[in-house]
Amino acid sequence: MEGLLDKPLNPNKLLKEQFVSNLTGSSLLEIAALSTIVPAVVVLRKWSSRDNIRRDSVKKNDDALAGHKDGVYYFSALVIDFLTVVLPILLIFTILAEWTYICAISLVAVISIYILFKRSQSHLKAQQHLPSLRADISSYRVSVVLVTCVSILAVDFKIFPRRYAKAETYGSGIMDLGVGSFVVANALVSRQARNITSM
């Protein structure tokens, strides 16, 4: 009878404990690269959608089949958002984790080239309007929630690098950065930040 009580009920408990123990995190440079990739992907998506909105506003026709067009537009926007924002972030945090630095440098180079190209064309066109601060804060909050969801759901699988998980005692990982990012994201939209007096 005593032999039965000595055995753990879950034989994989020791393996699970070893899997989640002794986590020291990753380097600050890798965390900086990861935190550069996420906003870069969001910025590229926003820029591409802004160009598409301008093209669509020029091509507007009658209001025929407006409901059908709205449904198709929202579904296509959802698919494009998934393919250009969610999927790259998911790949960077799992399969492409070894190429984090290369991906970060590539995205920064693409954004820099785009900015230089737009500046060279800006002297030909009138001054363009800047995006609103509210849209930028919303994009930041969406990226924080997206990275948090990906990290929380993927951390229990072997495809998610263990160095990205929360550090046990000392060190830092991308999940440690997520805690502070949530605080900042919620502080940006707090009553005090929006100058709303309490009721």
Side-chain angles (χ1 to χ4, degrees):
M1 185 76 170
E2 289 180 19
L4 286 174
L5 296 176
D6 292 338
K7 290 183 181 179
L9 293 176
N10 186 356
N12 297 323
K13 183 179 179 184
L14 182 62
L15 293 174
K16 176 69 175 173
E17 287 176 2
Q18 289 174 349
F19 184 68
V20 298
S21 297
N22 302 323
L23 301 176
T24 57
S26 60
S27 67
L28 292 178
L29 185 63
E30 186 172 24
I31 293 171
L34 285 170
S35 59
T36 302
I37 290 172
V38 175
V41 169
V42 172
V43 164
L44 287 175
R45 171 62 181 125
K46 281 177 66 174
W47 284 348
S48 68
S49 68
R50 195 173 342 149
D51 290 342
N52 290 338
I53 289 171
R54 277 193 222 123
R55 273 189 239 122
D56 289 345
S57 64
V58 171
K59 296 179 181 178
K60 275 194 175 172
N61 299 5
D62 304 306
D63 289 334
L65 299 172
H68 176 70
K69 287 181 181 179
D70 287 342
V72 170
Y73 171 76
Y74 288 123
F75 183 74
S76 64
L78 180 67
V79 169
I80 291 171
D81 283 341
F82 178 79
L83 292 176
T84 58
V85 177
V86 177
L87 190 62
I89 290 173
L90 184 64
L91 292 175
I92 291 292
F93 276 78
T94 55
I95 297 170
L96 300 176
E98 299 302 320
W99 293 281
T100 301
Y101 300 115
I102 294 170
C103 292
I105 292 170
S106 302
L107 284 171
V108 169
V110 166
I111 289 174
S112 301
I113 290 169
Y114 183 82
I115 289 172
L116 290 174
F117 178 72
K118 285 294 185 182
R119 280 192 180 171
S120 67
Q121 288 185 342
S122 67
H123 69 279
L124 300 175
K125 296 179 180 178
Q127 184 65 26
Q128 297 174 354
H129 66 282
L130 295 173
S132 70
L133 181 63
R134 179 177 280 187
D136 292 337
I137 291 173
S138 294
S139 296
Y140 172 71
R141 293 180 72 205
V142 165
S143 64
V144 166
V145 169
L146 179 63
V147 170
T148 302
C149 290
V150 167
S151 298
I152 288 173
L153 293 173
V155 75
D156 292 328
F157 297 100
K158 291 183 180 180
I159 197 168
F160 189 76
R162 300 308 305 153
R163 64 185 184 272
Y164 292 168
K166 283 186 69 64
E168 259 186 297
T169 54
Y170 298 105
S172 56
I174 195 70
M175 289 183 78
D176 295 310
L177 179 69
V179 174
S181 295
F182 252 100
V183 171
V184 171
N186 288 326
L188 288 172
V189 294
S190 67
R191 288 181 173 271
Q192 292 83 5
R194 293 182 291 158
N195 292 326
I196 296 176
T197 58
S198 61
M199 295 185 152

